[in-house]
Amino acid sequence: CLDVSTDIDTTITSISDTVFSLAKIGPDLAIALAASLAFGSLLGFVFTVYGCRTTLTTYMQVYALLNAHGPPMLRYPLRRANSARFLATFVTSQLFGFFVLVSIVVTVMMCGFLLVAVETQTTTALRFFIASLVGAQLVEITVIRTILTPFAQYYGLGVMLFAIELWYLSVGLIKGFTRLVMLIFLTLTSFFTPAKCAFPDGKESWDGGHVCFVCYVMQRVEHDRSLRAAKANFAKAVRRYSVQAARASNVTQQT
């Protein structure tokens, strides 16, 4: 009973300390929220402009390929109906990516601000944990991978290589976390460039934005081909009419 009451008192004390700390930094918290919203909005605008420019570049490349080789170059069928929803898919994808990016930026910046501004046992432990993660990553990039591993491989130091392997086992979870962060970042940026396929090899048909974009480009290719064919037929008709008119004028003159 004494242990339970002690734990309850400790929890209440930590909660009260956190509440008092948040009350002290109330104005700074509002400023940090406004700054994070502004920065997230600016970052979202930059990614939106980048996505529009990338889509134009991708359009020209895909148009040239489809015009030269046609749909057989793809590994999935093209439905003409999908081209009708490309504009809606592109706009909604950009908007969704913008709002998700702003939300993530605001959340990360506010968590970082609270981690720095609030003084509790929990925030202290989190600071130490994050510093350890960053330090391990820096050591792995600058020392282990760049200096020690090539040195041990060059001189055939099996003991050192085994020790490095054991060290990598201890930091393997960090690599998994950084890979997850990179996958989230790549998935988030794919909303701004729906023309590019974000799905793995063999699953291209599951990416709705990419499929709609390719169907729209193929429709433009067919439309331009029909225009060129119509222009060619018109030119033939004009030449035929010109020849017939010239022959008729020659007959008239001879008569």
Side-chain angles (χ1 to χ4, degrees):
C1 295
L2 292 176
D3 294 337
V4 172
S5 61
T6 304
D7 294 337
I8 294 175
D9 292 337
T10 304
T11 305
I12 294 175
T13 303
S14 62
I15 293 174
S16 62
D17 293 339
T18 304
V19 171
F20 287 136
S21 300
L22 291 176
K24 291 179 182 179
I25 62 172
D28 296 333
L29 191 64
I31 295 173
L33 179 60
S36 61
L37 281 172
F39 179 74
S41 301
L42 179 62
L43 194 62
F45 176 75
V46 171
F47 271 94
T48 301
V49 174
Y50 167 76
C52 294
R53 295 186 61 181
T54 303
T55 301
L56 292 175
T57 304
T58 308
Y59 173 83
M60 292 185 288
Q61 296 173 349
V62 175
Y63 183 93
L65 291 173
L66 290 177
N67 189 34
H69 305 286
M73 65 173 292
L74 302 173
R75 294 188 294 181
Y76 53 90
L78 297 181
R79 301 179 185 273
R80 187 173 282 104
N82 287 329
S83 62
R85 59 190 182 97
F86 168 67
L87 179 62
T89 303
F90 181 79
V91 173
T92 53
S93 179
Q94 292 276 352
L95 290 176
F96 186 80
F98 182 87
F99 287 118
V100 172
L101 179 62
V102 172
S103 302
I104 291 177
V105 169
V106 170
T107 302
V108 172
M109 292 186 66
M110 293 304 297
C111 290
F113 174 78
L114 293 176
L115 191 64
V116 173
V118 177
E119 293 293 341
T120 60
Q121 294 180 354
T122 304
T123 55
T124 302
L126 285 175
R127 291 172 194 166
F128 179 78
F129 178 72
I130 293 173
S132 301
L133 290 180
V134 174
Q137 285 285 84
L138 292 177
V139 169
E140 192 273 334
I141 294 173
T142 59
V143 179
I144 303 297
R145 190 193 310 177
T146 309
I147 300 175
L148 291 183
T149 302
F151 178 80
Q153 289 174 339
Y154 181 79
Y155 288 102
L157 303 178
V159 177
M160 182 179 290
L161 290 174
F162 181 72
I164 291 173
E165 287 286 349
L166 293 179
W167 186 83
Y168 270 113
L169 286 175
S170 64
V171 298
L173 294 178
I174 302 176
K175 291 298 181 181
F177 177 75
T178 54
R179 185 173 186 270
L180 179 62
V181 171
M182 289 301 300
L183 288 175
I184 293 174
F185 176 77
L186 293 175
T187 304
L188 178 60
T189 54
S190 68
F191 286 106
F192 296 97
T193 57
K196 295 182 178 181
C197 184
F199 279 57
D201 189 27
K203 302 294 188 297
E204 295 89 352
S205 60
W206 293 8
D207 193 343
H210 172 69
V211 171
C212 292
F213 172 77
V214 176
C215 291
Y216 173 78
V217 176
M218 190 63 219
Q219 185 189 30
R220 297 303 307 170
V221 170
E222 293 178 347
H223 182 262
D224 292 344
R225 285 177 179 175
S226 63
L227 284 180
R228 288 193 295 268
K231 289 180 180 179
N233 292 332
F234 180 75
K236 283 182 181 179
V238 170
R239 286 196 299 269
R240 189 181 304 114
Y241 176 78
S242 300
V243 171
Q244 293 176 357
R247 290 177 179 175
S249 63
N250 291 332
V251 171
T252 304
Q253 290 176 1
Q254 290 177 359
T255 303

